[in-house]
Amino acid sequence: MALRLLLVTIAIMALASSFANASDPSPLQDFCVAINDPKDALFVNGKFCKNPDDVKADDFLFRGLNKPGNTKNPLGSKVTPVNVDNLAGLNTLGISLARIDFAPYGLNPPHTHPRATEVLAVLEGTLYVGFVLSNPPPGMKNKLFTKTLYPGDVFVFPEGLIHFQFNVGKTKAIAFAGLSSQNPGVITIANAVFGSDPPINPDVLTKAFQVDDKVIKYLQSQFWYDNN
């Protein structure tokens, strides 16, 4: 299991690095290990760099992707991200990684990564995955692409498009994802639309979804779980 985990992780990082330039800009030095933004500093598109003389090997190390995420939640899934916020050495390198654990029939709900393409590899279990295209022609619906994935299968979700993963098996599932940004971001559709703070005006959502305002108010009253 440990060897398989290592091989999958290396493969995902290699695949993601091949399209890393599609999002984040190329670095202008060997590395730029991130530090917390200095107080009162100007905003930068990324993280400030640690003094190279103070950089250590630990700045490029993350431990723990061999540990399952806790899937005991309403979605039955857990995403364990490895990005610039918990691996400082990723700063400016245009790449990140995530482990996704699924309980039987667990769901990673429809979401987008506004700054990254995602390549997903299945390690265990059976996943039904898909994404929806943008900008359909007049009179047409947004086209859906789906596949059922098995161990060893790889699927790509283009940058910014709504996508999902659903465990259709009776056993747990594990997948690893490489993303073409050090900080890909995630917008979970239901959470953003019905769980925003402050709430979106119900009149807007009633018209958008063509449902009674009681339905919108009910959805806005629910707790929208974040599995990230």
Side-chain angles (χ1 to χ4, degrees):
M1 175 64 182
L3 179 58
R4 283 196 299 157
L5 182 65
L6 174 62
L7 292 175
V8 169
T9 303
I10 293 172
I12 287 294
M13 296 298 283
L15 283 168
S17 67
S18 68
F19 53 69
N21 289 335
S23 291
D24 295 348
S26 299
L28 299 177
Q29 62 279 329
D30 288 343
F31 53 76
C32 172
V33 173
I35 58 173
N36 291 331
D37 297 352
K39 185 179 179 181
D40 300 325
L42 295 176
F43 177 79
V44 294
N45 189 20
K47 299 280 188 177
F48 284 93
C49 302
K50 178 185 284 191
N51 186 325
D53 293 338
D54 297 330
V55 171
K56 301 177 181 178
D58 283 345
D59 292 319
F60 302 95
L61 173 68
F62 177 92
R63 297 187 191 275
L65 280 189
N66 60 317
K67 299 177 182 178
N70 184 1
T71 60
K72 294 181 179 180
N73 58 64
L75 294 172
S77 69
K78 178 62 179 176
V79 178
T80 304
V82 181
N83 55 41
V84 70
D85 289 330
N86 55 15
L87 180 52
L90 285 176
N91 195 39
T92 75
L93 298 186
I95 191 172
S96 59
L97 178 71
R99 170 177 174 150
I100 313 170
D101 289 277
F102 300 84
Y105 308 110
L107 172 70
N108 191 14
H111 62 281
T112 72
H113 301 293
R115 294 178 290 277
T117 293
E118 175 182 343
V119 56
L120 182 88
V122 178
L123 183 65
E124 291 185 25
T126 305
L127 295 180
Y128 171 71
V129 307
F131 66 88
V132 181
L133 294 187
S134 64
N135 299 322
M140 302 291 288
K141 295 183 178 180
N142 296 70
K143 189 171 183 179
L144 172 66
F145 290 87
T146 64
K147 271 292 183 182
T148 300
L149 306 183
Y150 304 94
D153 289 348
V154 175
F155 198 80
V156 174
F157 305 102
E159 181 173 336
L161 298 186
I162 295 174
H163 59 283
F164 60 86
Q165 299 105 26
F166 180 48
N167 181 6
V168 294
K170 296 180 180 180
T171 61
K172 70 176 184 179
I174 304 171
F176 282 81
L179 300 114
S180 61
S181 172
Q182 67 182 42
N183 186 24
V186 60
I187 302 172
T188 304
I189 307 305
N191 301 45
V193 173
F194 299 112
S196 65
D197 184 18
I200 297 174
N201 188 316
D203 292 340
V204 173
L205 299 181
T206 298
K207 193 158 190 173
F209 289 93
Q210 297 291 292
V211 295
D212 188 272
D213 64 344
K214 292 180 180 179
V215 175
I216 297 299
K217 291 177 180 178
Y218 169 77
L219 291 171
Q220 289 184 320
S221 70
Q222 302 303 301
F223 174 77
W224 293 95
Y225 185 82
D226 183 5
N227 66 337
N228 288 275

